[in-house]
Amino acid sequence: MRYLILLCLCFSGCFGDRINPNVLSNFADSNLMVEKKKPKNVEATQNPKEDYMQQIPAQSQTSKDEYLEKFYKVWNLRADEMGSKESVFYILPSLQSPIKYAKQLEELKHNPPKKNSKNYKAEQTKYKKQIEDLEHKINALLGVGENLLPNSLEEFQYIANNMNIESYMKRPQIAIITQATSIRVVPTDKPRYKNKNDFPFDRWQNSFLFEGTPVIITHFSKDGRFAHVRAPFVYGFVDSRNLAFVDDNLRRQILSFSDYKIPKEDFIPLKFRESFIMDARIGQIFPYNRRSNKLITFYKDLDNFAKIREIDFDSAKFSDFPMPFSSGGMLSIIDSMVGQKYGWGGAFGNRDCSAFTRDSFASFGIFLPRNSAAQAQFQQRFMDLSKQSDEDKEDYIIKYGIPYASIIWLRGHVMLYVGYEEINGKKVAKVAHSIWGLNPVVNNKKEKINLGGVKITTLQIDADTFSGHNIKNSLLSRVRGITNIYDRQSYGMK
């Protein structure tokens, strides 16, 4: 059934369950040409099963309508799919708690132990400990801001009030993202790091939305600077300037589009009348007017409503959506991103680990959740390897993983399996991933490896450098399991 069934919008209800931190579970022809050669960035594997032109049979490919139905579903969510305020705004207690503790601390300081007390010394020791504990709790919750100094209670109070939670879902409105934007768990662009060494992990950064992403505005912040939205795979606050309302006529028109294009490389500049308007990104879909041979984009008019704008594009850099999946096609997509910098929650427009895998598979019509743990459960194909030895894990991955079509999961991280190569006569699994860094223990010494972006590595990272050494806390040791996005039979493997 086509996704036109989504034409009816129920303003009386919205939105589903949350996977902490504030991310949502998952709800044939192509002009892509891949040469049989190693791209400039991606290291070739020596896996004998690897074929850069190998393609999934057409009947096993994900349909375009299936992806689009999930993509536009936010415009047609029922009341029983709406999350509670407690689950949607799970961050609120962390804003309120330091304020509560500060009041307790003030009261405590006004009531010190009496010096003539019989157990004054013991009470004084206990009193000082209570003060230290409260101060520690407050500082831990406040974290530090962009100047690496503690955030203030006044900032937290303002943010909590500005969330305007009492207006949630009173006047929901459908909208569309007109300018790529971060989506935040609180209505501010200011960061909150746990401490001055916690960069780049801004705990208020949630994700990143491309232009053309459908959303529902649940309400606005009190100052109007931010709109709280539900997007296809995440919800949070976005800058109000980066989205526009969608009226019924435009909504019907958007849902009637049958042709879409997808970029074959990242950061393709797009222009309208010789003026730059956006970068086309891997994983971003564009409606396409086949008659005029132009991409369809959206802009915001003076009344804050979205309007259609058709633009010229370089057809050699785009493919019909979805691309038919092949190992060569995925290799080309990865090659476009290798070397890019890491971005926690999409910070600075960069990708973290799960955004890397999500955007990579989106090109082929696979709608992955945003959260790495949820991605690992894709179609219930997760194979638990957590009880196996490191050697057995790697043997299983090499034997049963599908190069460029399997994801490997460990707590807090997800990677794309790309095959293996031989190092010192041993088969070693290789992965593509966006990673900040890790701290393996080599010969009982903690090492700090800062990778800071999209890399092709082994599961030991520097297995060749550390060969013969006792390595603990490696990626391999922390691997929990593997998920084949496609089943092996569809891929022509036993």
Side-chain angles (χ1 to χ4, degrees), residues 176-181 208-213 242 261-263 265-287 294-300 306-314 317-318 349:
I176 198 163
I177 300 298
T178 53
Q179 185 172 333
T181 183
F208 191 80
L209 301 179
F210 296 137
E211 294 93 340
T213 302
N242 297 335
K261 291 287 185 179
I262 192 87
E265 59 186 69
D266 215 18
F267 290 105
I268 303 172
L270 298 178
K271 297 180 180 180
F272 178 69
R273 296 177 181 172
E274 301 305 315
S275 294
F276 171 83
I277 58 172
M278 72 173 74
D279 282 313
R281 303 291 305 275
I282 292 294
Q284 181 179 9
I285 62 173
F286 289 86
K294 292 188 176 184
L295 296 181
I296 296 171
T297 61
F298 305 92
Y299 69 96
K300 186 175 186 174
K307 300 295 181 184
I308 280 179
R309 171 177 54 198
E310 293 192 357
I311 61 174
D312 295 318
F313 69 106
D314 184 348
K317 294 182 178 180
F318 287 78

Short mmCIF file of all heavy atoms in Angstrom, two decimals, residues 176-181 208-213 242 261-263 265-287 294-300 306-314 317-318 349:
data_model
loop_
_atom_site.label_atom_id
_atom_site.label_comp_id
_atom_site.label_asym_id
_atom_site.label_seq_id
_atom_site.Cartn_x
_atom_site.Cartn_y
_atom_site.Cartn_z
N ILE A 176 8.15 21.34 8.19
CA ILE A 176 9.25 20.69 7.49
C ILE A 176 10.52 21.51 7.75
O ILE A 176 10.46 22.73 7.91
CB ILE A 176 8.96 20.60 5.97
CG1 ILE A 176 9.87 19.57 5.30
CG2 ILE A 176 9.06 21.96 5.28
CD1 ILE A 176 9.37 19.13 3.93
N ILE A 177 11.65 20.81 7.85
CA ILE A 177 12.92 21.48 8.08
C ILE A 177 13.37 22.15 6.77
O ILE A 177 13.46 21.49 5.73
CB ILE A 177 13.99 20.49 8.56
CG1 ILE A 177 13.55 19.82 9.88
CG2 ILE A 177 15.33 21.19 8.73
CD1 ILE A 177 13.37 20.78 11.03
N THR A 178 13.62 23.45 6.83
CA THR A 178 14.03 24.19 5.64
C THR A 178 15.52 24.53 5.65
O THR A 178 16.06 24.97 4.64
CB THR A 178 13.22 25.49 5.51
OG1 THR A 178 13.32 26.24 6.73
CG2 THR A 178 11.76 25.19 5.22
N GLN A 179 16.17 24.33 6.78
CA GLN A 179 17.61 24.53 6.89
C GLN A 179 18.17 23.51 7.86
O GLN A 179 17.64 23.36 8.97
CB GLN A 179 17.93 25.95 7.36
CG GLN A 179 19.41 26.27 7.39
CD GLN A 179 19.69 27.74 7.68
OE1 GLN A 179 18.86 28.59 7.39
NE2 GLN A 179 20.84 28.03 8.25
N ALA A 180 19.20 22.79 7.46
CA ALA A 180 19.78 21.75 8.31
C ALA A 180 20.04 22.29 9.71
O ALA A 180 20.52 23.41 9.87
CB ALA A 180 21.08 21.22 7.70
N THR A 181 19.71 21.48 10.72
CA THR A 181 19.73 22.00 12.08
C THR A 181 20.02 20.92 13.11
O THR A 181 19.67 19.75 12.92
CB THR A 181 18.37 22.66 12.41
OG1 THR A 181 18.41 23.24 13.71
CG2 THR A 181 17.24 21.64 12.36
N PHE A 208 20.81 15.51 14.47
CA PHE A 208 20.93 16.49 13.39
C PHE A 208 19.89 16.16 12.33
O PHE A 208 19.71 15.00 11.97
CB PHE A 208 22.34 16.42 12.80
CG PHE A 208 22.68 17.55 11.85
CD1 PHE A 208 23.06 18.78 12.34
CD2 PHE A 208 22.61 17.37 10.48
CE1 PHE A 208 23.38 19.83 11.48
CE2 PHE A 208 22.92 18.39 9.61
CZ PHE A 208 23.32 19.63 10.10
N LEU A 209 19.20 17.18 11.84
CA LEU A 209 18.14 16.98 10.85
C LEU A 209 18.51 17.66 9.54
O LEU A 209 18.91 18.83 9.53
CB LEU A 209 16.81 17.55 11.36
CG LEU A 209 16.26 16.97 12.67
CD1 LEU A 209 14.96 17.67 13.04
CD2 LEU A 209 16.05 15.46 12.56
N PHE A 210 18.35 16.92 8.44
CA PHE A 210 18.60 17.49 7.12
C PHE A 210 17.41 18.33 6.66
O PHE A 210 16.28 18.16 7.12
CB PHE A 210 18.83 16.37 6.10
CG PHE A 210 20.04 15.52 6.36
CD1 PHE A 210 19.98 14.14 6.24
CD2 PHE A 210 21.25 16.10 6.72
CE1 PHE A 210 21.10 13.35 6.46
CE2 PHE A 210 22.37 15.32 6.95
CZ PHE A 210 22.29 13.94 6.81
N GLU A 211 17.67 19.19 5.67
CA GLU A 211 16.59 19.90 5.01
C GLU A 211 15.62 18.89 4.40
O GLU A 211 16.03 17.83 3.92
CB GLU A 211 17.13 20.80 3.89
CG GLU A 211 17.99 21.94 4.38
CD GLU A 211 19.48 21.63 4.40
OE1 GLU A 211 19.83 20.41 4.41
OE2 GLU A 211 20.29 22.57 4.42
N GLY A 212 14.34 19.22 4.44
CA GLY A 212 13.33 18.33 3.87
C GLY A 212 12.80 17.29 4.83
O GLY A 212 11.96 16.47 4.45
N THR A 213 13.27 17.30 6.08
CA THR A 213 12.79 16.33 7.06
C THR A 213 11.42 16.76 7.59
O THR A 213 11.26 17.89 8.07
CB THR A 213 13.76 16.22 8.24
OG1 THR A 213 15.05 15.85 7.76
CG2 THR A 213 13.27 15.19 9.25
N ASN A 242 14.67 27.50 11.46
CA ASN A 242 15.09 26.44 10.54
C ASN A 242 13.96 25.52 10.10
O ASN A 242 14.21 24.46 9.52
CB ASN A 242 16.19 25.62 11.20
CG ASN A 242 17.44 26.43 11.45
OD1 ASN A 242 17.68 27.43 10.79
ND2 ASN A 242 18.22 26.02 12.44
N LYS A 261 15.61 11.41 -5.29
CA LYS A 261 17.03 11.26 -5.57
C LYS A 261 17.80 11.22 -4.25
O LYS A 261 17.36 11.75 -3.23
CB LYS A 261 17.55 12.42 -6.42
CG LYS A 261 17.04 12.44 -7.85
CD LYS A 261 17.69 11.37 -8.70
CE LYS A 261 17.26 11.48 -10.16
NZ LYS A 261 17.91 10.45 -11.02
N ILE A 262 18.98 10.59 -4.30
CA ILE A 262 19.84 10.48 -3.13
C ILE A 262 21.26 10.83 -3.54
O ILE A 262 21.71 10.43 -4.62
CB ILE A 262 19.79 9.03 -2.54
CG1 ILE A 262 20.43 8.97 -1.16
CG2 ILE A 262 20.39 8.03 -3.47
CD1 ILE A 262 19.48 9.29 -0.04
N PRO A 263 22.00 11.60 -2.73
CA PRO A 263 23.39 11.93 -3.10
C PRO A 263 24.27 10.68 -3.06
O PRO A 263 24.13 9.84 -2.19
CB PRO A 263 23.82 12.93 -2.03
CG PRO A 263 22.55 13.44 -1.43
CD PRO A 263 21.58 12.31 -1.50
N GLU A 265 27.59 11.14 -2.87
CA GLU A 265 28.74 11.58 -2.09
C GLU A 265 28.27 12.65 -1.12
O GLU A 265 27.14 13.16 -1.23
CB GLU A 265 29.85 12.11 -3.00
CG GLU A 265 29.43 13.27 -3.88
CD GLU A 265 30.52 13.66 -4.87
OE1 GLU A 265 30.79 12.87 -5.79
OE2 GLU A 265 31.09 14.76 -4.69
N ASP A 266 29.11 12.99 -0.17
CA ASP A 266 28.71 13.91 0.90
C ASP A 266 29.10 15.35 0.56
O ASP A 266 30.07 15.60 -0.13
CB ASP A 266 29.37 13.48 2.21
CG ASP A 266 28.47 13.74 3.42
OD1 ASP A 266 27.25 13.91 3.25
OD2 ASP A 266 29.00 13.74 4.55
N PHE A 267 28.31 16.28 1.09
CA PHE A 267 28.57 17.72 0.94
C PHE A 267 28.63 18.14 -0.53
O PHE A 267 29.63 18.69 -1.01
CB PHE A 267 29.87 18.11 1.66
CG PHE A 267 29.77 18.05 3.16
CD1 PHE A 267 30.36 17.01 3.87
CD2 PHE A 267 29.06 19.02 3.85
CE1 PHE A 267 30.26 16.96 5.25
CE2 PHE A 267 28.96 18.97 5.24
CZ PHE A 267 29.56 17.94 5.93
N ILE A 268 27.53 17.90 -1.24
CA ILE A 268 27.40 18.40 -2.61
C ILE A 268 26.72 19.76 -2.54
O ILE A 268 25.56 19.86 -2.12
CB ILE A 268 26.57 17.45 -3.49
CG1 ILE A 268 27.18 16.04 -3.50
CG2 ILE A 268 26.44 18.00 -4.90
CD1 ILE A 268 26.32 15.01 -4.19
N PRO A 269 27.38 20.85 -2.91
CA PRO A 269 26.75 22.16 -2.82
C PRO A 269 25.63 22.32 -3.83
O PRO A 269 25.80 21.98 -5.01
CB PRO A 269 27.91 23.13 -3.11
CG PRO A 269 28.90 22.32 -3.89
CD PRO A 269 28.77 20.91 -3.40
N LEU A 270 24.48 22.80 -3.37
CA LEU A 270 23.33 23.04 -4.24
C LEU A 270 23.04 24.53 -4.28
O LEU A 270 23.11 25.22 -3.26
CB LEU A 270 22.11 22.28 -3.73
CG LEU A 270 22.23 20.75 -3.71
CD1 LEU A 270 20.96 20.12 -3.14
CD2 LEU A 270 22.51 20.20 -5.10
N LYS A 271 22.69 25.02 -5.47
CA LYS A 271 22.46 26.45 -5.65
C LYS A 271 21.08 26.71 -6.26
O LYS A 271 20.53 25.86 -6.96
CB LYS A 271 23.53 27.05 -6.55
CG LYS A 271 24.94 26.99 -6.00
CD LYS A 271 25.94 27.60 -6.96
CE LYS A 271 27.36 27.53 -6.40
NZ LYS A 271 28.35 28.13 -7.33
N PHE A 272 20.55 27.89 -5.99
CA PHE A 272 19.34 28.37 -6.64
C PHE A 272 19.63 29.77 -7.16
O PHE A 272 19.99 30.66 -6.39
CB PHE A 272 18.17 28.40 -5.64
CG PHE A 272 16.89 28.93 -6.22
CD1 PHE A 272 16.20 28.20 -7.17
CD2 PHE A 272 16.39 30.17 -5.83
CE1 PHE A 272 15.02 28.67 -7.70
CE2 PHE A 272 15.21 30.65 -6.36
CZ PHE A 272 14.52 29.90 -7.31
N ARG A 273 19.52 29.92 -8.48
CA ARG A 273 19.85 31.20 -9.12
C ARG A 273 21.25 31.67 -8.73
O ARG A 273 21.47 32.80 -8.33
CB ARG A 273 18.81 32.26 -8.78
CG ARG A 273 17.42 31.92 -9.33
CD ARG A 273 16.39 32.96 -8.91
NE ARG A 273 15.07 32.60 -9.41
CZ ARG A 273 13.93 33.22 -9.08
NH1 ARG A 273 13.99 34.24 -8.22
NH2 ARG A 273 12.79 32.85 -9.57
N GLU A 274 22.20 30.73 -8.81
CA GLU A 274 23.62 31.00 -8.56
C GLU A 274 23.97 31.27 -7.11
O GLU A 274 25.12 31.56 -6.79
CB GLU A 274 24.11 32.18 -9.43
CG GLU A 274 23.94 31.95 -10.93
CD GLU A 274 24.61 30.66 -11.41
OE1 GLU A 274 25.75 30.41 -11.00
OE2 GLU A 274 23.97 29.92 -12.18
N SER A 275 22.99 31.17 -6.21
CA SER A 275 23.27 31.37 -4.78
C SER A 275 23.23 30.04 -4.05
O SER A 275 22.29 29.25 -4.22
CB SER A 275 22.25 32.34 -4.17
OG SER A 275 22.38 33.63 -4.73
N PHE A 276 24.24 29.80 -3.23
CA PHE A 276 24.29 28.56 -2.44
C PHE A 276 23.12 28.50 -1.47
O PHE A 276 22.80 29.48 -0.80
CB PHE A 276 25.61 28.50 -1.66
CG PHE A 276 25.67 27.38 -0.66
CD1 PHE A 276 26.03 26.10 -1.05
CD2 PHE A 276 25.37 27.61 0.68
CE1 PHE A 276 26.09 25.07 -0.13
CE2 PHE A 276 25.43 26.58 1.61
CZ PHE A 276 25.78 25.30 1.20
N ILE A 277 22.46 27.33 -1.40
CA ILE A 277 21.35 27.18 -0.46
C ILE A 277 21.56 26.04 0.54
O ILE A 277 21.05 26.10 1.65
CB ILE A 277 20.00 26.99 -1.18
CG1 ILE A 277 20.04 25.76 -2.10
CG2 ILE A 277 19.61 28.24 -1.94
CD1 ILE A 277 18.68 25.40 -2.68
N MET A 278 22.30 25.01 0.16
CA MET A 278 22.50 23.90 1.10
C MET A 278 23.55 22.94 0.56
O MET A 278 23.90 22.98 -0.62
CB MET A 278 21.20 23.13 1.33
CG MET A 278 20.77 22.29 0.15
SD MET A 278 19.35 21.22 0.50
CE MET A 278 18.04 22.41 0.50
N ASP A 279 24.02 22.05 1.45
CA ASP A 279 24.83 20.90 1.06
C ASP A 279 23.95 19.66 1.04
O ASP A 279 23.24 19.39 2.03
CB ASP A 279 25.98 20.68 2.04
CG ASP A 279 27.13 21.64 1.83
OD1 ASP A 279 27.55 21.80 0.67
OD2 ASP A 279 27.60 22.23 2.82
N ALA A 280 23.98 18.91 -0.04
CA ALA A 280 23.31 17.61 -0.07
C ALA A 280 24.20 16.62 0.66
O ALA A 280 25.40 16.55 0.43
CB ALA A 280 23.08 17.17 -1.51
N ARG A 281 23.60 15.83 1.55
CA ARG A 281 24.35 14.95 2.42
C ARG A 281 24.00 13.49 2.19
O ARG A 281 22.86 13.16 1.81
CB ARG A 281 24.06 15.29 3.89
CG ARG A 281 24.34 16.73 4.31
CD ARG A 281 25.82 17.04 4.32
NE ARG A 281 26.57 16.11 5.15
CZ ARG A 281 26.73 16.24 6.46
NH1 ARG A 281 26.19 17.27 7.11
NH2 ARG A 281 27.45 15.36 7.12
N ILE A 282 24.95 12.61 2.42
CA ILE A 282 24.68 11.17 2.38
C ILE A 282 23.52 10.86 3.33
O ILE A 282 23.52 11.29 4.49
CB ILE A 282 25.93 10.38 2.81
CG1 ILE A 282 27.04 10.52 1.76
CG2 ILE A 282 25.59 8.90 3.04
CD1 ILE A 282 26.74 9.89 0.43
N GLY A 283 22.54 10.12 2.86
CA GLY A 283 21.39 9.76 3.68
C GLY A 283 20.22 10.72 3.55
O GLY A 283 19.15 10.46 4.10
N GLN A 284 20.38 11.81 2.83
CA GLN A 284 19.33 12.81 2.66
C GLN A 284 18.58 12.52 1.36
O GLN A 284 19.18 12.35 0.31
CB GLN A 284 19.94 14.22 2.61
CG GLN A 284 18.93 15.34 2.46
CD GLN A 284 19.61 16.71 2.45
OE1 GLN A 284 20.82 16.82 2.38
NE2 GLN A 284 18.81 17.76 2.52
N ILE A 285 17.25 12.46 1.44
CA ILE A 285 16.47 12.18 0.24
C ILE A 285 15.85 13.48 -0.29
O ILE A 285 15.46 14.35 0.48
CB ILE A 285 15.38 11.12 0.48
CG1 ILE A 285 14.36 11.58 1.52
CG2 ILE A 285 16.02 9.79 0.90
CD1 ILE A 285 13.18 10.62 1.68
N PHE A 286 15.76 13.57 -1.61
CA PHE A 286 15.22 14.75 -2.28
C PHE A 286 14.10 14.34 -3.22
O PHE A 286 14.31 13.51 -4.11
CB PHE A 286 16.30 15.45 -3.11
CG PHE A 286 17.36 16.14 -2.31
CD1 PHE A 286 18.48 15.44 -1.86
CD2 PHE A 286 17.26 17.48 -2.00
CE1 PHE A 286 19.47 16.07 -1.13
CE2 PHE A 286 18.24 18.13 -1.26
CZ PHE A 286 19.35 17.42 -0.83
N PRO A 287 12.89 14.92 -3.07
CA PRO A 287 11.87 14.71 -4.10
C PRO A 287 12.42 15.19 -5.45
O PRO A 287 13.21 16.15 -5.51
CB PRO A 287 10.71 15.59 -3.63
CG PRO A 287 10.93 15.78 -2.17
CD PRO A 287 12.42 15.80 -1.99
N LYS A 294 14.60 18.34 -12.14
CA LYS A 294 15.10 19.19 -11.08
C LYS A 294 14.78 18.58 -9.72
O LYS A 294 13.80 17.84 -9.57
CB LYS A 294 14.50 20.59 -11.17
CG LYS A 294 14.99 21.37 -12.38
CD LYS A 294 14.53 22.82 -12.33
CE LYS A 294 15.11 23.61 -13.51
NZ LYS A 294 14.75 25.05 -13.44
N LEU A 295 15.65 18.89 -8.73
CA LEU A 295 15.37 18.49 -7.36
C LEU A 295 14.36 19.44 -6.76
O LEU A 295 14.33 20.64 -7.07
CB LEU A 295 16.64 18.52 -6.52
CG LEU A 295 17.77 17.55 -6.88
CD1 LEU A 295 18.93 17.72 -5.89
CD2 LEU A 295 17.29 16.11 -6.88
N ILE A 296 13.54 18.92 -5.86
CA ILE A 296 12.54 19.73 -5.16
C ILE A 296 13.06 20.01 -3.75
O ILE A 296 13.38 19.08 -3.00
CB ILE A 296 11.18 19.01 -5.10
CG1 ILE A 296 10.63 18.85 -6.52
CG2 ILE A 296 10.19 19.78 -4.22
CD1 ILE A 296 9.39 17.96 -6.61
N THR A 297 13.18 21.27 -3.42
CA THR A 297 13.58 21.67 -2.07
C THR A 297 12.51 22.61 -1.52
O THR A 297 11.53 22.92 -2.19
CB THR A 297 14.95 22.37 -2.10
OG1 THR A 297 14.86 23.56 -2.90
CG2 THR A 297 16.02 21.46 -2.67
N PHE A 298 12.72 23.08 -0.30
CA PHE A 298 11.71 23.89 0.37
C PHE A 298 12.35 25.13 0.98
O PHE A 298 13.49 25.10 1.44
CB PHE A 298 11.02 23.06 1.46
CG PHE A 298 10.43 21.78 0.95
CD1 PHE A 298 11.17 20.60 0.98
CD2 PHE A 298 9.16 21.74 0.41
CE1 PHE A 298 10.66 19.41 0.50
CE2 PHE A 298 8.62 20.56 -0.08
CZ PHE A 298 9.37 19.40 -0.04
N TYR A 299 11.59 26.21 0.96
CA TYR A 299 12.04 27.44 1.61
C TYR A 299 10.89 28.01 2.43
O TYR A 299 9.74 27.57 2.32
CB TYR A 299 12.55 28.46 0.59
CG TYR A 299 11.48 29.06 -0.29
CD1 TYR A 299 10.89 30.28 0.03
CD2 TYR A 299 11.07 28.42 -1.47
CE1 TYR A 299 9.91 30.86 -0.77
CE2 TYR A 299 10.10 28.98 -2.28
CZ TYR A 299 9.51 30.19 -1.93
OH TYR A 299 8.54 30.75 -2.73
N LYS A 300 11.20 28.99 3.24
CA LYS A 300 10.25 29.56 4.18
C LYS A 300 9.81 30.94 3.69
O LYS A 300 10.65 31.81 3.43
CB LYS A 300 10.92 29.66 5.55
CG LYS A 300 10.07 30.10 6.71
CD LYS A 300 10.91 30.00 7.98
CE LYS A 300 10.11 30.28 9.23
NZ LYS A 300 10.91 30.05 10.45
N ALA A 306 6.04 26.81 4.40
CA ALA A 306 6.97 26.22 3.45
C ALA A 306 6.44 26.36 2.03
O ALA A 306 5.24 26.19 1.78
CB ALA A 306 7.20 24.76 3.78
N LYS A 307 7.35 26.63 1.11
CA LYS A 307 7.04 26.70 -0.30
C LYS A 307 8.03 25.83 -1.06
O LYS A 307 9.16 25.60 -0.62
CB LYS A 307 7.14 28.13 -0.82
CG LYS A 307 6.19 29.12 -0.13
CD LYS A 307 4.74 28.78 -0.40
CE LYS A 307 3.82 29.80 0.26
NZ LYS A 307 2.39 29.44 0.10
N ILE A 308 7.61 25.34 -2.22
CA ILE A 308 8.46 24.48 -3.04
C ILE A 308 9.38 25.33 -3.92
O ILE A 308 8.99 26.37 -4.44
CB ILE A 308 7.59 23.56 -3.92
CG1 ILE A 308 7.09 22.38 -3.08
CG2 ILE A 308 8.36 23.06 -5.13
CD1 ILE A 308 6.22 21.42 -3.85
N ARG A 309 10.61 24.83 -4.04
CA ARG A 309 11.59 25.47 -4.91
C ARG A 309 12.30 24.37 -5.68
O ARG A 309 12.82 23.42 -5.08
CB ARG A 309 12.57 26.27 -4.06
CG ARG A 309 13.77 26.82 -4.80
CD ARG A 309 14.63 27.66 -3.85
NE ARG A 309 15.00 26.91 -2.67
CZ ARG A 309 15.43 27.47 -1.54
NH1 ARG A 309 15.52 28.78 -1.45
NH2 ARG A 309 15.76 26.72 -0.50
N GLU A 310 12.33 24.44 -7.00
CA GLU A 310 13.01 23.45 -7.81
C GLU A 310 14.39 23.97 -8.20
O GLU A 310 14.55 25.14 -8.55
CB GLU A 310 12.20 23.12 -9.07
CG GLU A 310 10.90 22.41 -8.76
CD GLU A 310 10.24 21.83 -10.00
OE1 GLU A 310 10.78 22.04 -11.12
OE2 GLU A 310 9.21 21.16 -9.86
N ILE A 311 15.39 23.10 -8.11
CA ILE A 311 16.77 23.52 -8.36
C ILE A 311 17.47 22.56 -9.32
O ILE A 311 17.16 21.36 -9.38
CB ILE A 311 17.59 23.63 -7.07
CG1 ILE A 311 17.67 22.27 -6.37
CG2 ILE A 311 16.99 24.67 -6.14
CD1 ILE A 311 18.59 22.27 -5.15
N ASP A 312 18.42 23.09 -10.06
CA ASP A 312 19.26 22.26 -10.93
C ASP A 312 20.27 21.48 -10.08
O ASP A 312 20.60 21.88 -8.96
CB ASP A 312 20.00 23.13 -11.93
CG ASP A 312 19.07 23.84 -12.89
OD1 ASP A 312 18.12 23.19 -13.36
OD2 ASP A 312 19.29 25.04 -13.16
N PHE A 313 20.76 20.39 -10.61
CA PHE A 313 21.73 19.58 -9.88
C PHE A 313 22.57 18.78 -10.86
O PHE A 313 22.20 18.62 -12.03
CB PHE A 313 21.03 18.63 -8.90
CG PHE A 313 20.24 17.52 -9.55
CD1 PHE A 313 20.71 16.22 -9.56
CD2 PHE A 313 19.03 17.78 -10.18
CE1 PHE A 313 20.00 15.19 -10.16
CE2 PHE A 313 18.30 16.77 -10.79
CZ PHE A 313 18.79 15.47 -10.78
N ASP A 314 23.69 18.31 -10.39
CA ASP A 314 24.60 17.48 -11.18
C ASP A 314 24.12 16.03 -11.09
O ASP A 314 24.33 15.36 -10.07
CB ASP A 314 26.03 17.62 -10.66
CG ASP A 314 27.04 16.87 -11.50
OD1 ASP A 314 26.64 16.06 -12.35
OD2 ASP A 314 28.26 17.08 -11.29
N LYS A 317 26.14 13.06 -9.74
CA LYS A 317 26.43 12.93 -8.31
C LYS A 317 25.22 12.45 -7.50
O LYS A 317 25.29 12.39 -6.28
CB LYS A 317 26.92 14.27 -7.76
CG LYS A 317 28.26 14.70 -8.35
CD LYS A 317 28.74 16.02 -7.74
CE LYS A 317 30.10 16.41 -8.30
NZ LYS A 317 30.58 17.69 -7.72
N PHE A 318 24.13 12.12 -8.18
CA PHE A 318 22.93 11.65 -7.50
C PHE A 318 22.45 10.35 -8.14
O PHE A 318 22.74 10.06 -9.30
CB PHE A 318 21.81 12.69 -7.60
CG PHE A 318 22.01 13.89 -6.72
CD1 PHE A 318 22.89 14.90 -7.08
CD2 PHE A 318 21.32 14.02 -5.52
CE1 PHE A 318 23.09 16.01 -6.28
CE2 PHE A 318 21.50 15.11 -4.70
CZ PHE A 318 22.38 16.11 -5.08
N GLY A 349 27.48 19.55 12.55
CA GLY A 349 27.08 18.95 11.28
C GLY A 349 27.82 17.67 10.95
O GLY A 349 27.70 17.15 9.83
#
